[in-house]
Amino acid sequence: ESFLVSAGTLFIIPPGRSCEYATPAGGMWEFYWMHTDGQNISLILDDLLRSRGYLHRLPASRLEEHFKLILNARCGYAQSGLFAAQMVSRIAFDVLYGINEQQLGGGAPDVVSAVVEHIEEHYAEPFALGCLSARHFISREHLIRLFKQRTGTTPGRYYRRYKAMKAAQLLTYTNLPIKEVAAVIGFTSMAAFCTQFKKVYGLSPSEYRHRNKVYQN
């Protein structure tokens, strides 16, 4: 298959598909290329290709900012894996939103992105969906519907999974006692922390650390 890709176009290549590039004689181009790996991102890309096709006209500015963050990141080795995973998730999320917004005509405030940003900045605090819905002048039910349409999950589940992911990072790359890990991510009860963590990863925090810890004493 051959495609003519014009300026400002997002081109999605299916996972595992080999490809070649060419420019018109004497032509010049500049592009950002991102190769991703992992089951979740593959499922997202496959769904996009089936339902929307390969080519998408999207404003590049938001995606460009994400690439710049990745290129300019000055994080240590221990944090780089999680940082990259977070950025890939955010990019995929923005692509999905941009395509949906394009099909719907655009113009609506990005409430879902605002909720995601709030969760990622305040994950150690209690999650109050009612306060967020009131801040954006929509009902809780409508916010949940919008969030699930865009992400495939509810705000509450996203919040719990994000907390578990931050805990997994601490268990993998630090020697903090598990009780302190629970406190850092906002749990006052060890039992509640262990229960929620196991729901996400299928292992207790101690089992997860034993299997995944990078730096051993």
Side-chain angles (χ1 to χ4, degrees):
E1 295 177 275
S2 297
F3 299 89
L4 179 62
V5 182
S6 58
T9 301
L10 170 71
F11 183 57
I12 299 177
I13 302 170
R17 178 78 59 86
S18 60
C19 55
E20 296 179 347
Y21 316 104
T23 58
M28 297 181 65
W29 65 344
E30 182 180 12
F31 67 96
Y32 290 99
W33 165 272
M34 185 178 75
H35 173 81
T36 60
D37 189 19
Q39 182 180 17
N40 289 341
I41 190 68
S42 294
L43 291 172
I44 291 172
L45 293 179
D46 283 340
D47 182 63
L48 277 174
L49 290 166
R50 282 195 303 269
S51 60
R52 317 275 170 76
Y54 294 86
L55 298 170
H56 305 278
R57 298 283 297 184
L58 291 174
S61 57
R62 287 168 66 187
L63 298 180
E64 197 170 314
E65 286 303 312
H66 293 310
F67 284 116
K68 287 178 180 176
L69 283 172
I70 293 173
L71 292 172
N72 297 328
R74 295 293 183 267
C75 54
Y77 172 78
Q79 296 177 335
S80 60
L82 179 66
F83 178 82
Q86 289 172 332
M87 293 311 302
V88 169
S89 297
R90 182 65 64 83
I91 290 168
F93 185 80
D94 272 4
V95 168
L96 285 170
Y97 174 71
I99 292 171
N100 288 336
E101 186 181 47
Q102 183 186 50
Q103 290 193 337
L104 296 172
D110 190 359
V111 176
V112 177
S113 286
V115 173
V116 168
E117 185 175 345
H118 176 86
I119 289 172
E120 293 181 357
E121 290 180 358
H122 303 281
Y123 65 87
E125 302 170 10
F127 182 56
L129 184 61
C131 293
L132 287 171
S133 63
R135 183 185 303 172
H136 295 286
F137 305 101
I138 61 175
S139 69
R140 288 168 51 97
E141 292 74 19
H142 187 45
L143 177 54
I144 292 171
R145 280 196 299 271
L146 288 175
F147 199 96
K148 195 165 185 178
Q149 285 171 3
R150 291 262 302 281
T151 67
T153 190
T154 65
R157 290 195 189 100
Y158 188 94
Y159 167 72
R160 290 189 291 273
R161 289 187 64 85
Y162 192 80
K163 284 174 78 76
M165 182 182 69
K166 298 298 285 189
Q169 178 193 20
L170 294 172
L171 292 169
T172 301
Y173 296 115
T174 77
N175 291 316
L176 281 176
I178 292 176
K179 185 175 182 179
E180 289 186 30
V181 171
V184 166
I185 65 168
F187 280 93
T188 56
S189 164
M190 269 292 291
F193 168 57
C194 292
T195 299
Q196 289 299 324
F197 190 89
K198 193 165 187 176
K199 283 182 180 179
V200 175
Y201 287 100
L203 299 168
S204 69
S206 59
E207 291 170 333
Y208 184 91
R209 170 169 272 175
H210 178 72
R211 294 190 187 188
N212 296 281
K213 187 156 177 57
V214 172
Y215 303 111
Q216 299 286 357
N217 290 331

